[in-house]
Amino acid sequence: MDDNSLGWDVPPAGHPWELNGDQCNSKGGFFPGDATNGQLNSALMDFKNGLQIMLVSNGMVDIFGAISNAYKKSWIK
């Protein structure tokens, strides 16, 4: 799956995303709705360092942004 980007959302260059110097593959999903019928956003980020993060939100939150910010802030350089 990783070697050929099968099932992953692939960036334009066709290589894994890079975040804070670490490579990761990602997959997102969305089930549309409205304010009364609900909706779901999901994101999975699989980092080459072995960390996997999965987040599901029931609103219009930028979940890839939320994961990216948390990941960046979790490393002390």
Side-chain angles (χ1 to χ4, degrees), residues 5 8-26 44-49 64-65 67-69 71-72 75 77:
S5 297
W8 295 116
D9 293 336
V10 181
H15 302 290
W17 298 100
E18 189 163 312
L19 180 63
N20 213 40
D22 296 316
Q23 288 187 337
C24 69
N25 290 307
S26 65
L44 167 67
M45 295 181 85
D46 179 32
F47 291 88
K48 297 293 183 181
N49 64 9
F64 280 109
I67 292 172
S68 296
N69 287 335
Y71 186 82
K72 288 176 186 177
W75 299 102
K77 300 255 179 190

Side-chain angles (χ1 to χ4, degrees), residues 57-71:
S57 168
N58 65 347
M60 291 299 297
V61 176
D62 175 13
I63 53 179
F64 280 109
I67 292 172
S68 296
N69 287 335
Y71 186 82

Side-chain angles (χ1 to χ4, degrees), residues 29-31 39-43 55-63:
F30 177 72
F31 184 80
Q39 58 196 12
L40 290 175
N41 281 321
S42 64
L55 182 62
V56 177
S57 168
N58 65 347
M60 291 299 297
V61 176
D62 175 13
I63 53 179

